[in-house]
Amino acid sequence: MEVVITRDEEEGAPYAAALGGGWRPVYLPVTQVAGADPADLDRLQAALRTPRDHLFVASRHAVPPLAAAVRAAGLAPAEVAPATAVGPATAAALIAAGFTATARGDTGVDAAAALVAAVRRAGAGPGWRVLAPRAAAGRDEPLALLRAAGAEVEDLVAYRTVAAAPGSPALAAGRAALAAGAALCLVFAPSQVEALAALLAADGGLAACAARFVALGPTTAAALRAHGVACATAAAPTPEAMANAVATVYPEA
């Protein structure tokens, strides 16, 4: 059976793998990364001049603007605080750019919890300082966990997510799969819901899709329901939780 995954192959492959061999993934990257506003980057550059104890980087997409801001601040990556990275791909991007980085989890919440544990093992008290370059409207749960543990977190926009151009060749296979009656569609963010709805508007919109939808979290589920689409919801932002949610609507798979 076909599953449409609203990410590119690099970011969607772990979710396809968690589903197992009964599913054939088709990738539909309905959003893409765009640069932050110049004012956002100015704020990031200014913030880097204040010493921090840690960086918290949730996506590889934050690395190029972070590195550019470091250079603009007259610093070298090795001079800024060590980074906690979400996932090995983000850690690898940071290390390639010259930062000191450790992958501490595959999700933001897991990485934040691991950073808290590391800080407590080191004996740091309240007020440890974290700079978090992130996506506009990125997930707040990891930063909330850090703040609850006593961190002083400054989160600044490093990049934005925008809808992909409707005529992009990268969308053709996923759009065709949905039109042909793909069994399942995995959606990861409210911005993806809106982009997908716009892409499919001429075909009757989301509600006209035969696919069953699974959302990565309650805010994405709420966005789907606002378009008249019922969905299952993953209990955590992980491939395993998404696969468990799929099992509630396709137990035979």
Side-chain angles (χ1 to χ4, degrees):
M1 293 190 291
E2 282 189 330
V3 52
V4 173
I5 298 175
T6 57
R7 286 183 166 178
D8 63 23
E9 184 171 359
E10 181 177 354
E11 295 189 340
Y15 292 86
L19 292 178
W23 293 95
R24 185 174 77 83
V26 183
Y27 298 99
L28 179 60
V30 291
T31 57
Q32 62 187 26
V33 172
D37 293 338
D40 292 326
L41 298 180
D42 287 345
R43 282 189 285 270
L44 181 57
Q45 176 186 329
L48 284 161
R49 295 193 176 99
T50 299
R52 312 287 169 149
D53 299 303
H54 301 275
L55 298 176
F56 186 84
V57 185
S59 170
R60 61 186 171 86
H61 298 305
V63 177
L66 174 63
V70 167
R71 292 192 297 270
L75 301 169
E79 294 179 273
V80 301
T84 284
V86 178
T90 303
L94 284 162
I95 291 167
F99 293 90
T100 301
T102 302
R104 285 197 158 99
D106 291 324
T107 71
V109 169
D110 287 346
L115 176 56
V116 169
V119 167
R120 287 176 174 165
R121 285 195 301 271
W128 44 288
R129 298 159 300 176
V130 178
L131 179 64
R134 61 184 297 202
R139 292 186 178 276
D140 294 326
E141 297 93 337
L143 305 186
L145 192 156
L146 294 175
R147 290 181 175 118
E152 294 177 358
V153 180
E154 183 175 8
D155 54 300
L156 294 172
V157 173
Y159 66 95
R160 297 177 183 277
T161 300
V162 299
S168 170
L171 305 181
R175 189 172 183 178
L178 288 174
L184 185 65
C185 183
L186 308 185
V187 191
F188 300 85
S191 60
Q192 292 182 348
V193 174
E194 300 309 319
L196 185 58
L199 179 68
L200 301 179
D203 304 321
L206 287 173
C209 286
R212 298 179 187 179
F213 284 79
V214 178
L216 189 76
T219 56
T220 304
L224 283 167
R225 287 193 293 270
H227 284 274
V229 177
C231 65
T233 306
T238 66
E240 293 74 18
M242 187 71 101
N244 288 339
V246 169
T248 68
V249 294
Y250 272 109
E252 67 276 17

